[in-house]
C-alpha cells in the first residue's frame, strides 16, 4: 500500500497538546488504552550478557524481569504498565527465540492481570538485523528473517510492534563526521524515508494479520547518534545545533511509519516524537530524566511535556539496594506518571506541561527546538510540502535554523562554536536545490563514489 502523506496538522495549535491525551488513542494488550487521558510507565530492560548463551537461559531471564516488574507495580499500587523488550540479536536472528520470550512474558502478565486487574501491554522491538559484516543489507536475504521475527513475536503474545531501523545510516555516519548537512538530509530525510516506507507497510500488514498494533519506529541510528556525539555543554565533538538539525530532519523520516499504517505509541528514544504527535495526533512514548540509567540528555524534564507513555530507555537487569534495576526504574517511572495523571484529573495539566518545558527550554538548542510550541512549528514546515520527502525534510531543517536564531536573539545562549555551526548550516541549506530529482541524482553520484559501504540497491535504485 502506498503511504498516505500528511499535509496538515492534527492539532489547530500547539497549546492543544498535552501529556496523556492524544487525538487517536490506541487500545492494546490487557485492557490498556494509550493516549486516552492518562499516562503509562513503559519499562525497558536488557538481559545480562551471559543470559544470551542459550535460549533457555534467555527465557528464564525475561521471566524474572517480567515477574519483578509486575510484582513491584502491584506492590506499590500502580494501575497500568507497558513492558518493552528490545531484542538482543539472538532473538531476531532466531525468530523462535524472540517468540518464546514473548510467550513467557505474556503468560506472566496475564496472570497478574487476572489476579490484580493491572492493565498492561507488551512491546517487542525487533532488532534491525539487515546487515552483514561489511554492509547494510536492507532488502537482501535477512529481510525475510526480519519480518518473520515480527510475525512470530506477534503470534506469541507481543501486543505492540516496533523497530529502530537503520536505513540511511551508512551515508549518515560519513556525513555527520564531516558536518555535511546535505549528506545528513539525504541520509535521514531521503534514504531513511524510502526504507521506512518499505518496512512499515510490511510490518503494518503483519500487525493487521495478527491482530496486534503496528506501533512505530525511532531515528535512533541517526538522530540519537548525533545527540550522543554532541554530548554535554562542554563537549565540542559535534555542534548541538547540528544535532538538533539531525533531529528535525528525523521527524519526517519517523513520520513515514504512521503514513504506512503504524498507529503509535511511537517508541521511547525518538525525541522527534513530539513533532510526530503534533502532525499525527497519535500517542507517543518519550524518555528523559528517568532514562539516566541509559544516557544523559539536556532536556530530561522538557521531553515529558506531551508524552503518553514514559520510559527509561533501557537498563541492564541486576540487583540494586532497592530491588532489581527493573523494579527501581519502573517505580520511578510510575511515580512520574502518577503526578502527570493527577495533573490531568485536577485540570492542571497545562501548568505542569509548561513547568516541565520551561525548566529545560533554554538549556540547549536541542531543548529549545523540541519545546512543544517550537516542535509544532517544525511540524508545520513538514506538512507544508508533505507529499515530497526531500522538501519536507529540507523545510524542517530550515525552520529548525530559524527557531534557533530566534532563540539566540532572546534567552538561548549560543557559544561562538555553536553560532558558527548554525551560520554554516544555514548557508549549506540555502545552497540546496528545490528540485527533489536533482538533489537525489547529485547525492547518489557523490555518495556512491565517496562512501564505499553505500549500496544504492538497498534503496531500490
Amino acid at each position: 500500500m502506498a503511504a498516505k502523506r500528511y499535509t496538515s496538522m492534527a492539532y489547530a495549535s500547539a497549546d492543544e497538546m498535552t501529556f496523556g491525551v492524544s487525538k487517536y488513542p490506541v487500545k492494546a494488550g490487557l485492557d490498556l488504552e494509550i493516549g486516552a487521558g492518562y499516562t503509562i510507565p513503559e519499562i525497558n530492560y536488557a538481559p545480562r550478557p551471559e543470559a544470551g548463551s542459550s535460549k533457555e537461559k534467555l527465557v528464564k531471564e525475561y521471566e524474572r524481569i517480567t515477574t519483578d516488574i509486575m510484582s513491584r507495580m502491584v506492590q506499590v499500587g500502580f494501575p497500568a504498565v507497558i513492558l518493552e523488550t528490545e531484542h538482543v540479536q539472538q532473538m531476531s536472528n532466531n525468530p523462535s527465540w524472540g517468540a518464546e520470550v514473548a510467550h513467557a512474558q505474556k503468560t506472566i502478565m496475564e496472570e497478574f492481570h487476572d489476579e490484580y486487574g493491572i492493565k498492561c501491554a507488551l512491546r517487542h522491538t525487533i532488532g534491525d538485523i539487515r546487515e552483514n559484516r561489511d554492509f547494510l543489507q536492507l532488502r537482501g536475504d535477512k529481510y525475510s528473517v526480519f519480518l518473520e521475527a515480527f510475525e512470530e513475536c506477534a503470534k506469541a503474545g507481543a501486543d505492540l510492534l516496533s523497530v529502530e531501523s537503520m536505513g540511511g545510516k551508512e551515508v549518515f555516519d560519513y556525513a555527520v563526521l564531516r558536518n555535511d548537512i546535505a549528506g545528513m538530509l539525504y541520509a535521514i530525510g531521503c534514504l531513511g524515508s524510502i526504507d521506512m516506507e518499505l518496512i512499515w507497510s510490511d510490518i503494518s500488514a503483519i500487525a493487521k494479520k495478527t491482530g496486534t498494533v503496528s506501533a512505530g519506529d525511532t531515528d535512533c541510528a541517526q538522530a540519537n547518534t548525533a545527540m550522543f556525539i554532541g554530548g554535554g555543554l562542554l563537549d565540542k565533538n559535534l555542534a548541538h545545533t547540528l544535532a538538533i538539525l539531525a533531529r528535525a530532519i528525523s521527524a519526517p523520516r519517523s513520520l513515514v511509519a504512521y503514513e504506512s499504517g503504524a498507529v503509535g505509541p511511537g517508541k521511547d528514544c525518538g525525541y522527534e516524537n513530539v513533532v510526530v504527535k503534533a502532525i499525527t495526533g497519535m500517542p507517543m512514548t518519550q524518555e528523559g530524566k528517568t532514562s539516566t540509567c541509559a544516557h544523559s540528555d539536556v532536556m530530561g524534564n522538557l521531553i515529558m511535556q506531551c508524552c503518553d507513555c514514559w520510559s527509561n530507555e533501557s537498563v541492564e537487569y541486576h540487583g540494586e539496594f532497592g530491588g532489581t534495576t527493573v523494579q527501581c526504574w519502573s517505580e520511578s517511572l510510575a511515580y512520574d506518571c502518577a503526578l502527570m495523571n493527577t495533573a490531568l484529573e485536577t485540570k492542571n495539566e497545562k501548568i505542569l506541561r509548561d513547568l516541565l518545558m520551561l525548566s529545560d527550554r533554554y538549556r540547549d538548542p536541542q531543548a529549545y527546538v523540541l519545546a512543544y510550541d517550537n516542535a509544532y512549528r517544525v511540524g508545520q514546515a513538514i506538512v507544508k510540502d508533505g507529499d515530497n520527502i526531500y522538501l519536507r525534510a529540507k523545510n524542517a531543517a530550515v525552520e529548525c535554523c530559524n527557531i534557533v536564531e530566534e532563540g539566540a536573539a532572546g534567552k538561548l545562549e549560543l557559544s561562538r562554536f555553536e553560532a558558527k555551526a548554525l551560520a554554516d548550516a544555514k548557508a549549506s541549506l540555502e545552497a540546496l536545490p528545490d528540485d527533489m530529482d536533482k538533489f537525489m541524482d547529485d547525492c547518489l553520484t557523490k555518495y556512491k563514489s565517496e562512501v564505499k559501504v553505500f549500496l544504492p540497491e538497498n534503496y531500490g535504485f
Side-chain angles (χ1 to χ4, degrees), residues 133-420:
R133 218 178 62 219
D134 303 311
F135 298 95
L136 289 183
Q137 261 191 320
L138 302 180
R139 301 178 181 215
D141 309 336
K142 287 271 185 86
Y143 191 57
S144 55
V145 182
F146 176 68
L147 290 182
E148 188 191 336
F150 281 98
E151 185 156 346
E152 293 308 310
C153 285
K155 286 181 184 160
D159 302 302
L160 307 168
L161 306 179
S162 283
V163 62
E164 299 173 10
S165 61
M166 299 218 286
K169 185 163 173 62
E170 71 288 58
V171 173
F172 174 80
D173 287 350
Y174 177 87
V176 74
L177 295 175
R178 291 164 178 76
N179 292 343
D180 170 5
I181 303 290
M184 285 163 50
L185 190 61
Y186 181 58
I188 304 173
C190 300
L191 299 179
S193 295
I194 289 166
D195 184 55
M196 286 282 288
E197 191 171 338
L198 169 80
I199 65 174
W200 278 98
S201 41
D202 286 341
I203 296 165
S204 298
I206 290 169
K208 200 168 188 173
K209 183 168 110 183
T210 54
T212 55
V213 176
S214 174
D217 205 307
T218 81
D219 194 36
C220 184
Q222 297 171 107
N224 283 11
T225 298
M227 180 172 83
F228 298 150
I229 299 172
L233 302 183
L234 302 180
D235 295 316
K236 294 212 167 39
N237 295 323
L238 179 72
H240 293 200
T241 42
L242 290 192
I244 189 58
L245 271 171
R247 182 71 66 190
I249 296 165
S250 79
R253 171 256 176 223
S254 292
L255 179 65
V256 175
Y258 309 97
E259 295 177 324
S260 308
V263 295
K267 195 180 134 37
D268 54 1
C269 57
Y271 283 71
E272 67 273 14
N273 283 349
V274 60
V275 180
V276 177
K277 182 171 180 173
I279 296 172
T280 63
M282 291 176 186
M284 296 290 143
T285 300
Q286 302 278 187
E287 65 185 40
K289 75 178 182 71
T290 315
S291 63
T292 48
C293 48
H295 63 85
S296 177
D297 70 30
V298 287
M299 49 207 147
N301 283 330
L302 176 138
I303 206 69
M304 286 175 89
Q305 61 194 350
C306 298
C307 74
D308 297 286
C309 311
W310 183 234
S311 165
N312 66 314
E313 159 78 5
S314 190
V315 68
E316 189 190 82
Y317 182 62
H318 58 247
E320 297 282 8
F321 288 160
T324 56
T325 48
V326 293
Q327 293 182 307
C328 300
W329 290 92
S330 61
E331 183 172 336
S332 292
L333 291 168
Y335 271 121
D336 289 341
C337 290
L339 176 62
M340 289 187 276
N341 293 345
T342 304
L344 283 160
E345 283 168 38
T346 59
K347 309 236 180 320
N348 288 303
E349 69 275 15
K350 289 188 176 178
I351 295 171
L352 180 56
R353 173 197 69 188
D354 288 355
L355 289 171
L356 290 165
M357 182 273 286
L358 283 166
S359 70
D360 295 328
R361 183 182 182 92
Y362 302 108
R363 194 180 299 282
D364 189 85
Q366 298 172 86
Y368 189 75
V369 175
L370 290 176
Y372 68 86
D373 55 322
N374 289 330
Y376 185 88
R377 286 175 52 187
V378 175
Q380 288 178 302
I382 292 164
V383 299
K384 190 173 75 185
D385 289 296
D387 289 323
N388 183 311
I389 60 168
Y390 162 62
L391 278 182
R392 71 188 199 173
K394 178 169 167 265
N395 292 353
V398 170
E399 187 65 6
C400 176
C401 285
N402 294 341
I403 290 167
V404 176
E405 269 192 336
E406 287 168 28
K411 291 184 188 166
L412 179 66
E413 287 182 22
L414 289 189
S415 64
R416 284 197 306 275
F417 171 66
E418 291 292 349
K420 182 181 181 320

Side-chain angles (χ1 to χ4, degrees), residues 81-102:
V81 67
I82 298 173
L83 275 63
E84 185 190 355
T85 300
E86 289 183 343
H87 281 205
V88 292
Q89 62 82 15
Q90 299 93 310
M91 291 161 66
S92 297
N93 278 314
N94 310 299
S96 68
W97 287 38
E100 266 191 55
V101 167

Side-chain angles (χ1 to χ4, degrees), residues 125-137:
T125 297
I126 309 303
D128 195 347
I129 54 172
R130 300 173 298 153
E131 56 182 340
N132 62 24
R133 218 178 62 219
D134 303 311
F135 298 95
L136 289 183
Q137 261 191 320

